[in-house]
Amino acid sequence: MACFLVSVAEAIIMTAVTKAVKSKESEPEEIHFEAGADVIESATRIPFSRKLKWLTNMLWGGSALLAFEHLWHGEIAPWFPFLTAASDSVQTSVMLHEMATVGVTMAVLITAVWGVMLLVSNAMEKKLLNSQHSVNYEARK
Amino acid sequence: MTLLSTLFAAIICTIIWYKNAPKNEMKVGILCWLYWGASIMWLVDAIFEYVELREEYFTPAPVDMLNDFYLGLSVVALGLLIWIIILLIKDPKGVVKAALFKKK
């Protein structure tokens, strides 16, 4: 009925958070690593604001397509109160229940998927850093 | 059917993105985020529907299936439309700028 509104709300908050984090962020740390004999490549750590953008992209993208689905099913109207279920109190309570169950689960699952992506990317960065430290240590010996 | 159509679109876009990475001239990543976000959200919707309908969930009426497939295709088209608008506005290859400000 209006389950995507929970994700829209999260997307708005997270977009503001992303902008705030980006404005406070300093230059990303550069990592140098050996990519073969006498070949040294450099890479920068992915800034946290960019990782936050992964979440906002998923939330905005998913919400936009789900909003279209609601429009398709006649659950959204281009006139006030925009949600057809909001015009009748019984339908409104059903809509709020759906937002509290389906809507919240959607937002939680998207955030959980992003959390897993965050863990994997952090582990990959850490692995690259550790391998570089051991290469440097071997070179110094 | 809507979930399946979006999921297939997400998988195809991710394959295209991976094949062209690290180049991102066509901004296929946008499509990946759009379709994966929607797929996760529709997955939750499907789980809740399954809990309610049980085995009936897997035997929809042909008319409902056709309508859902039609909706799925429309969703994929809308995703492509959003992507093409962002691509033309951001213009990473400078093609639009070159066409607009071409000196005669």
Side-chain angles (χ1 to χ4, degrees):
Chain A
M1 280 182 164
C3 46
F4 71 99
L5 286 182
V6 180
S7 301
V8 170
E10 192 190 343
I12 292 168
I13 294 165
M14 291 320 291
T15 305
V17 171
T18 308
K19 287 210 179 315
V21 168
K22 199 175 180 180
S23 66
K24 284 180 188 167
E25 230 161 29
S26 51
E27 278 290 300
E29 185 190 335
E30 200 162 311
I31 308 163
H32 296 276
F33 58 94
E34 282 186 5
D38 298 329
V39 182
I40 294 195
E41 283 191 5
S42 67
T44 49
R45 249 179 194 279
I46 303 169
F48 188 62
S49 62
R50 209 173 124 198
K51 290 177 182 172
L52 278 170
K53 207 145 192 309
W54 299 345
L55 176 63
T56 55
N57 282 345
M58 270 200 287
L59 287 167
W60 280 121
S63 303
L65 297 185
L66 253 82
F68 175 73
E69 186 228 338
H70 284 71
L71 193 71
W72 181 282
H73 288 132
E75 291 164 350
I76 296 178
W79 50 82
F80 190 79
F82 305 109
L83 301 163
T84 41
S87 52
D88 144 32
S89 60
V90 179
Q91 287 287 304
T92 306
S93 68
V94 175
M95 178 186 79
L96 290 174
H97 179 259
E98 200 188 279
M99 280 168 76
T101 51
V102 184
V104 169
T105 314
M106 281 174 176
V108 167
L109 187 64
I110 288 198
T111 313
V113 168
W114 173 74
V116 171
M117 286 168 67
L118 207 66
L119 286 175
V120 171
S121 67
N122 282 349
M124 285 166 87
E125 281 175 341
K126 217 174 250 178
K127 198 178 164 190
L128 188 66
L129 262 179
N130 286 344
S131 67
Q132 182 46 39
H133 285 316
S134 59
V135 165
N136 286 346
Y137 181 74
E138 289 294 321
R140 259 185 259 132
K141 274 212 292 189
Chain B
M1 283 305 265
T2 315
L3 169 65
L4 270 180
S5 317
T6 321
L7 197 61
F8 274 116
I11 292 166
I12 291 166
C13 290
T14 308
I15 292 167
I16 295 169
W17 168 80
Y18 188 85
K19 199 170 174 276
N20 297 316
K23 274 195 294 175
N24 191 22
E25 281 180 335
M26 293 302 287
K27 300 224 166 271
V28 183
I30 295 168
L31 273 177
C32 296
W33 295 123
L34 268 170
Y35 292 141
W36 278 118
S39 298
I40 294 168
M41 287 165 88
W42 267 312
L43 175 72
V44 173
D45 212 28
I47 292 167
F48 273 88
E49 215 174 313
Y50 172 74
V51 169
E52 202 182 303
L53 301 172
R54 295 284 163 181
E55 58 268 22
E56 254 181 71
Y57 176 78
F58 296 106
T59 49
V63 179
D64 292 339
M65 235 169 100
L66 190 68
N67 187 269
D68 269 1
F69 181 61
Y70 190 30
L71 172 63
L73 284 183
S74 306
V75 162
V76 173
L78 179 70
L80 288 169
L81 199 70
I82 294 171
W83 167 69
I84 207 110
I85 290 168
I86 295 172
L87 184 72
L88 292 178
I89 290 171
K90 291 206 171 173
D91 194 20
K93 290 178 97 176
V95 178
V96 178
K97 267 182 213 146
L100 287 175
F101 304 108
K102 203 172 166 183
K103 284 180 185 170
K104 285 182 184 173

